Amino acid sequence: MTGDDQPARYPLARWGGLVGSVLLAVAAGLGGALSTVPPGPLAGRYGPWPAVAWLTGTALLTAAWWALRHGTPGTRWVLGTVALWLLPLLVAPPLGSRDVYSYACQGWMYATGGDPYAVGPAGAGCPWVDAVAPIWRDTPAPYGPVFMALAGLAADLGSTLTGTLVVLRIVALAGVLLTALCLPELARRCGVPPQRALWLVLACPLVGVHLVSGAHNDAVMLGLLAAALLLVVRHPGRPGPLLAGGALLGLAVAVKATAIVVLPFAALAGLAGLYRPRRLAADGAWLAAGTLAALAAVTGLSGLGPGWVGALASSGDSKQWTSPPTAVGFVIDYAGGLVGRDPEAVPVTRAVAVVLLALLIVVLFWRAWVELRGVGTSVDQVGRLGPGRNRMARLDAARPRVALTGAGLALAGTVVLAPVFHPWYATWPLLLLAVTMTRTTWFLLPCAVAAFLVLPDGTNLARYTKAPGAVLMTALVLAALAHRVRKGPFLTHLVEEGPPINN
């Protein structure tokens, strides 16, 4: 894209994306995730037209987002464009998932004195259970007590199913707005243009379709996570802000437990001065104390106890090839079936993936520590020879980018190695990689592909492509491993070549 043709692309992307958003709202109205479960994605009253509107709208919205991934006019233009795109989705029925109905029933259970961690919506007698996807009607809630409190508040304020959905969507929108408030400063501190980070995150089709229209609680988790990291990055080494940042991180974990993988990298981001183990232990202790205190407080205040921890296991009930460990297990089972063996590999490959994820987080943390220690060593050496103020400034500038890159890669690893993958999970690493990475195709392309994985009513296309999808995903895993072997040592540097850090 040249400088001459950029201005012409700006209005084309803005209005083309708006048309796509309107078509998605039409798809939601004709055959979205409505409160009555339809007989099938193409068997409703309007036949294939909801799917046609969805496919066209998703293509337009994704193309508009992709076209400006390298640059936009400015922050105000980005926010105005995103607001235009979100407006049709805010007033349309839920799109792309039926999870919001599960949230409504879980909130109803909590508001009426039930325990959403002990029984599913059907067993609790939720009056809206018919709107819940059949696979989740007997499943306890896999979310933390903060979200259960928000869902209970939505059920109290909303009273009816429609009213509850409206409040849940407002809660999700609040999470997106909190993210939007925190992104610019996080990007500036990592050397990335704020308007670019805002565009990559907020204009992503997954945000409008799944976080806003679908009202997924990931929006709340990401908002709290962004606020926690901003507080830590803004006030490194100060006990009060570290304690408060840890508390915000604890609240994010108490929405979705996934956020816990960010904790060690937040501790790195909260260090001040030179990087030494004793300082990491001291500052990290304040952060961890805030996290644990918040978790203990909300768990106790909820009146539900620690039951939410055990309920996390139910989130893996769904088996789809879009999760790489599950896909590899499917292929092994297919191969075993050819020689008469019973299917049994999926639990094993999922367990191996959990171990690999733990190892990956350790490696990412170690690489971040080594990289920052290297900068700190150069500062220390220069300080002995003469004034090292500029070098210290370089260390302070490198700290947020290295730490948040590690956190973003840890979230990416969590998505790839999780037993289940849903399209909106891709927004987890997107939040942090957008504020740290200058080369973006490798993580934006999966987001673009994920936007096409579910039909308007929430039907996942993986259901219809189980065997070929599993084989394709396994082939991609093997290709990625082969590529990694050819490239040499893993994660030689966390931070890629990017904007210069001032000396």
Side-chain angles (χ1 to χ4, degrees), residues 398-426:
R399 171 179 47 81
R401 193 169 185 210
V402 172
L404 297 190
T405 297
L409 292 175
L411 285 170
T414 302
V415 172
V416 170
L417 295 172
V420 177
F421 171 81
H422 296 294
W424 48 94
Y425 289 6

Side-chain angles (χ1 to χ4, degrees), residues 3 45 132 167 228 231 331 356 372 388 433 462 484:
R45 176 181 176 186
V132 178
V167 178
L231 192 58
V331 170
L356 291 177
L372 289 171
L433 296 179
R484 186 66 261 164

Side-chain angles (χ1 to χ4, degrees), residues 83-390:
L84 280 174
W85 291 6
L86 292 184
L87 186 59
L89 298 173
L90 275 172
V91 298
L95 181 66
S97 170
R98 309 194 68 83
D99 283 4
V100 69
Y101 298 110
S102 295
Y103 301 164
C105 274
Q106 290 156 5
W108 175 87
M109 282 189 274
Y110 182 69
T112 55
D115 185 355
Y117 301 133
V119 66
C126 175
W128 311 317
V129 68
D130 289 342
V132 178
I135 190 175
W136 303 122
R137 290 178 183 175
D138 296 305
T139 302
Y143 311 116
V146 166
F147 185 69
M148 285 300 98
L150 291 173
L153 179 64
D156 265 339
L157 295 177
S159 300
T160 65
L161 177 58
T162 300
T164 302
L165 298 187
V166 169
V167 178
L168 286 169
R169 185 171 284 179
I170 292 172
V171 168
L173 182 61
V176 172
L177 291 175
L178 180 57
T179 301
L181 287 173
C182 298
L183 273 175
E185 186 173 346
L186 284 173
R188 280 193 295 269
R189 290 177 179 272
C190 294
V192 170
Q195 67 271 20
R196 183 169 177 270
L198 283 168
W199 179 261
L200 294 181
V201 176
L202 301 182
C204 177
L206 298 176
V207 171
V209 171
H210 295 295
L211 299 194
V212 176
S213 177
H216 281 281
N217 54 16
D218 305 71
V220 180
M221 180 193 76
L222 293 177
L224 291 169
L225 189 58
L229 291 173
L230 178 57
L231 192 58
V232 168
V233 167
R234 184 186 285 173
H235 304 288
R238 295 177 57 184
L242 288 176
L243 195 64
L248 286 172
L249 180 56
L251 295 180
V253 174
V255 174
K256 296 194 83 163
T258 309
I260 195 64
V261 303
V262 173
L263 178 59
F265 304 96
L268 278 182
L271 282 173
L274 298 180
Y275 282 72
R276 296 188 173 94
R278 183 179 298 177
R279 188 62 183 267
L280 174 64
D283 289 345
W286 286 108
L287 189 75
T291 300
L292 293 174
L295 285 172
V298 297
T299 298
L301 292 173
S302 70
L304 298 174
W308 65 282
V309 178
L312 293 173
S314 63
S315 60
D317 289 350
S318 174
K319 294 182 180 179
Q320 297 175 349
W321 63 261
T322 47
S323 158
T326 302
V328 172
F330 282 160
V331 170
I332 294 174
D333 282 341
Y334 296 152
L338 296 177
V339 295
R341 293 179 61 89
D342 294 331
E344 57 185 14
V346 171
V348 176
T349 54
R350 285 178 165 184
V352 170
V354 171
V355 174
L356 291 177
L357 176 59
L359 292 174
L360 175 64
I361 292 172
V362 171
V363 170
L364 287 169
F365 180 82
W366 176 250
R367 288 307 312 162
W369 173 258
V370 168
E371 194 149 340
L372 289 171
R373 282 281 292 173
V375 179
T377 300
S378 69
V379 172
D380 205 17
Q381 291 171 345
V382 171
R384 294 191 186 112
L385 297 174
R389 184 176 300 172
N390 289 339

